[in-house]
Amino acid sequence: MRKTVAMLKRGATAENVAEQVAKVKKVFQSPLLPPAFQQLHAETQADRQRKRRHLGNAAWFNLLIGVMLCVNTIVVGIETDYSRGRQLEDRLAFFVIETLFAVTFFTEVMIRMHHLGWEYAIDPWNIFDYSLVVFGWTDVLVSVTDTGSGGMRLASSLRLFRLLRVVRSIRGIKVLAGLWVVIQGLLDSYRTVLWVAFAMAIFLFCFGAAVCVLGGQDRFAFEHWYMGHMYVGSVLRSMFTMLQVATFDKWAESVARPLFHVAPMATPVLFVCIFVMSFGTLNILVAVMVERISVITADRRTHAEQARVRMEAYMLESMVDDLHANDKDGSGDLSQKEFKKIIRIPGLVKKLGLLGITIEEAESLFEIMDVNHSGTVTPEEFIAGLQKIKGQAKGQDMVQLICYAQRQVVRSAQYVSRMKFLNMQVDHVQERLNASGISLQFESGDRIKTAERNEMVTTSAAHRELLLFKLDAERQSAYPVVQDVRPGIDDDYDWS
């Protein structure tokens, strides 16, 4: 306060003064300590765990009590139909069964009192439950002390309302969660139901008075409609008639046609009543109940999502601790080999499975998180990657994704250009190879011809060698004949 006055003296602006005043009000309005009631009923962690493990909080116990309530209600109905009298001897079997139910429900009340303690008296359902149990025991005591009374009539009537206790019993049963949502929606809209009932009472009075004036006070109507006195004889009877019309309970043949015959001016009132009450008020009531049920369902989904997020955060923190605990060298970085070995630990495999992540996806995430290709990542980086996979995409993540995609598009375009250039070079190489192939074909033909000519020359040379060998052999084996050509000797001899 002194600071505010000093600021005013220094000529501070009104905005600064208002801001300082708001801070002062906030300090004085905010409670420094919880209220005394909350302090006296403070619970420790041990008390919460005890209540969580208590028999009264078990789902099977609530289900058992619900079944017992249903069976008790059925027994009450059977007793009402088949009981032979109000004497204790006439209904002894039903009395024994009712006593067993009374003992069971009394035991349940004791268990819930031990479970909740003083909080038992805060819940209206518990007060209602306790009252019914007390009435039940009163009925048993009256039946024992006065055997001919048949018990308390009020207690016998209230026994049928024990079935309403099923509403409280099904609250913690997951199988009947949908039924509890409907019941909770009806209970939350009770104020609207009361206001709608009040509005319907006003409408019924207005329409009933109008019909009574237009058709209930006419002697002609009573003479020609013998049921007219019952339907429109008074304002109260006319109100019940309007309720019958609004609920479409035989309204045409019982009310509309006879009233139109004896009092045509009252017929429009019936149609206005149908439009206002049936199509208006009752539909508003249904819409409010449906809206409340939708809100409760959305809240349950929100709470379930928040619980799932908290559980995932807890699991991720425990995974960080597990990764650090299994880091053998204590460097704070995990190599790919260490990482693959660690994520196959049964505890981490189960946690990854609860998060909906397989081992293969975790290994691929390691490669993605290793941006600098160093072959190592920290546990915090890995958990951050898991959070991005499980969580919703943020604006920064989308910008990074867009930039990464654009870079990949540019790189892809460069790769496409290089591939086109390489394709052109390959085409040139292919053309040159085709020309070389044609030249090789011609060269191969020339080589074949050369080989043929070489073979011919070799054959001719072999023939020549053979002929020369034969000539040389003949020359060596055949000698020439020597002839004496001297004169005077044997001139008469024929030398030929």
Side-chain angles (χ1 to χ4, degrees):
M1 184 63 68
R2 293 179 180 177
K3 183 182 287 187
T4 305
V5 175
M7 291 175 63
L8 291 173
K9 291 181 178 180
R10 290 197 304 266
T13 61
E15 296 178 354
N16 295 334
V17 174
E19 183 179 358
Q20 187 65 26
V21 170
K23 290 181 179 180
V24 173
K25 288 183 178 180
K26 186 176 180 181
V27 169
F28 281 102
Q29 290 177 358
S30 60
L32 300 178
L33 294 174
F37 184 78
Q38 295 182 2
Q39 295 183 35
L40 292 175
H41 292 82
E43 291 182 346
T44 61
Q45 187 68 22
D47 294 335
R48 294 180 180 178
Q49 293 179 359
R50 182 188 62 82
K51 288 184 177 181
R52 194 179 298 114
R53 295 192 299 265
H54 199 275
L55 177 61
N57 196 37
W60 66 268
F61 177 75
N62 294 325
L63 181 61
L64 178 62
I65 295 300
V67 173
M68 294 292 291
L69 290 171
C70 295
V71 173
N72 186 24
T73 305
I74 295 173
V75 170
V76 170
I78 295 174
E79 180 183 2
T80 303
D81 292 337
Y82 296 98
S83 180
R84 293 178 296 178
R86 299 187 59 82
Q87 296 292 331
L88 183 60
E89 294 80 4
D90 298 334
R91 58 185 189 93
L92 183 59
F94 294 105
F95 174 76
V96 173
I97 296 174
E98 182 62 27
T99 304
L100 294 177
F101 280 120
V103 172
T104 302
F105 296 142
F106 178 76
T107 306
E108 179 209 359
V109 169
M110 293 295 103
I111 291 174
R112 294 195 184 279
M113 284 184 176
H114 184 267
H115 174 216
L116 300 175
W118 290 104
E119 294 181 0
Y120 180 86
I122 299 176
D123 191 357
W125 282 105
N126 293 331
I127 302 300
F128 176 72
D129 186 11
Y130 179 79
S131 301
L132 291 179
V133 171
V134 170
F135 273 111
W137 274 105
T138 305
D139 185 19
V140 172
L141 293 177
V142 171
S143 299
V144 171
T145 55
D146 189 0
T147 58
S149 63
M152 293 181 60
R153 294 181 179 272
L154 180 60
S156 301
S157 302
L158 290 176
R159 284 188 301 175
L160 298 176
F161 289 95
R162 287 180 179 176
L163 188 61
L164 296 177
R165 294 172 56 196
V166 179
V167 175
R168 189 200 61 185
S169 300
I170 67 175
R171 183 173 183 178
I173 302 175
K174 295 182 180 180
V175 179
L176 303 177
L179 180 59
W180 172 249
V181 169
V182 175
I183 295 173
Q184 188 177 3
L186 296 177
L187 295 177
D188 291 345
S189 59
Y190 74 95
R191 294 183 179 178
T192 304
V193 173
L194 294 178
W195 285 112
V196 169
F198 181 71
M200 288 187 65
I202 295 175
F203 291 145
L204 287 175
F205 178 80
C206 295
F207 292 128
V211 171
C212 183
V213 171
L214 295 174
Q217 298 180 356
D218 190 359
R219 181 177 298 178
F220 176 79
F222 289 110
E223 292 178 355
H224 292 81
W225 185 21
Y226 70 96
M227 299 292 291
H229 181 72
M230 184 181 68
Y231 283 104
V232 293
S234 63
V235 176
L236 183 60
R237 294 177 181 178
S238 298
M239 290 175 65
F240 282 107
T241 302
M242 290 297 101
L243 181 61
Q244 180 180 352
V245 172
T247 56
F248 301 106
D249 182 17
K250 297 181 181 180
W251 69 281
E253 61 272 14
S254 299
V255 180
R257 288 187 177 90
L259 187 62
F260 178 75
H261 179 68
V262 299
M265 296 298 295
T267 306
V269 179
L270 301 181
F271 292 100
V272 174
C273 176
I274 290 174
F275 280 104
V276 173
M277 298 186 64
S278 300
F279 299 152
T281 308
L282 295 178
N283 285 334
I284 290 174
L285 179 61
V286 174
V288 169
M289 291 182 178
V290 172
E291 189 268 339
R292 288 303 308 165
I293 293 174
S294 301
V295 170
I296 292 172
T297 304
D299 291 340
R300 289 171 64 90
R301 291 178 180 175
T302 302
H303 292 323
E305 182 65 21
Q306 291 176 355
R308 185 188 63 82
V309 171
R310 289 195 299 268
M311 182 58 66
E312 287 184 356
Y314 174 75
M315 291 179 61
L316 291 174
E317 291 179 0
S318 63
M319 289 178 65
V320 171
D321 297 335
D322 293 339
L323 292 174
H324 281 293
N326 290 277
D327 186 10
K328 301 300 182 181
D329 54 2
S331 61
D333 295 333
L334 298 175
S335 63
Q336 190 170 9
K337 183 178 180 180
E338 290 178 344
F339 178 77
K340 289 182 178 180
K341 184 178 179 181
I342 292 173
I343 62 174
R344 284 171 171 78
I345 297 174
L348 283 176
V349 171
K350 186 176 181 180
K351 292 178 182 179
L352 291 173
L354 292 175
L355 294 174
I357 299 174
T358 61
I359 297 178
E360 291 76 12
E361 292 176 348
E363 292 180 353
S364 62
L365 182 61
F366 180 90
E367 297 176 356
I368 294 174
M369 296 301 297
D370 188 12
V371 181
N372 55 359
H373 301 286
S374 62
T376 59
V377 294
T378 62
E380 289 76 13
E381 291 176 349
F382 175 70
I383 297 303
L386 288 180
Q387 290 177 343
K388 290 183 179 180
I389 289 178
K390 296 297 295 180
Q392 297 181 356
K394 299 180 181 179
Q396 183 179 0
D397 299 330
M398 296 301 296
V399 171
Q400 292 179 356
L401 180 61
I402 292 172
C403 294
Y404 178 77
Q406 290 178 350
R407 289 196 298 268
Q408 296 301 319
V409 168
V410 173
R411 293 182 63 184
S412 300
Q414 294 175 355
Y415 287 141
V416 170
S417 300
R418 293 186 63 182
M419 291 299 296
K420 289 181 179 179
F421 176 75
L422 292 176
N423 286 331
M424 294 176 61
Q425 297 296 325
V426 170
D427 291 337
H428 291 302
V429 173
Q430 186 66 38
E431 292 177 358
R432 295 180 64 182
L433 289 175
N434 291 334
S436 300
I438 294 172
S439 300
L440 289 174
Q441 289 180 356
F442 286 112
E443 185 178 354
S444 177
D446 294 340
R447 287 184 177 182
I448 293 172
K449 292 180 180 179
T450 302
E452 292 177 352
R453 293 183 64 183
N454 289 334
E455 187 177 358
M456 292 175 61
V457 171
T458 303
T459 306
S460 300
H463 285 297
R464 286 196 299 269
E465 290 290 337
L466 182 60
L467 182 60
L468 291 174
F469 179 75
K470 289 181 178 180
L471 291 176
D472 188 38
E474 291 179 356
R475 182 180 59 82
Q476 292 178 3
S477 60
Y479 299 98
V481 178
V482 179
Q483 184 177 3
D484 190 5
V485 295
R486 291 178 296 177
I489 301 172
D490 296 334
D491 289 337
D492 294 334
Y493 182 77
D494 187 6
W495 293 96
S496 61

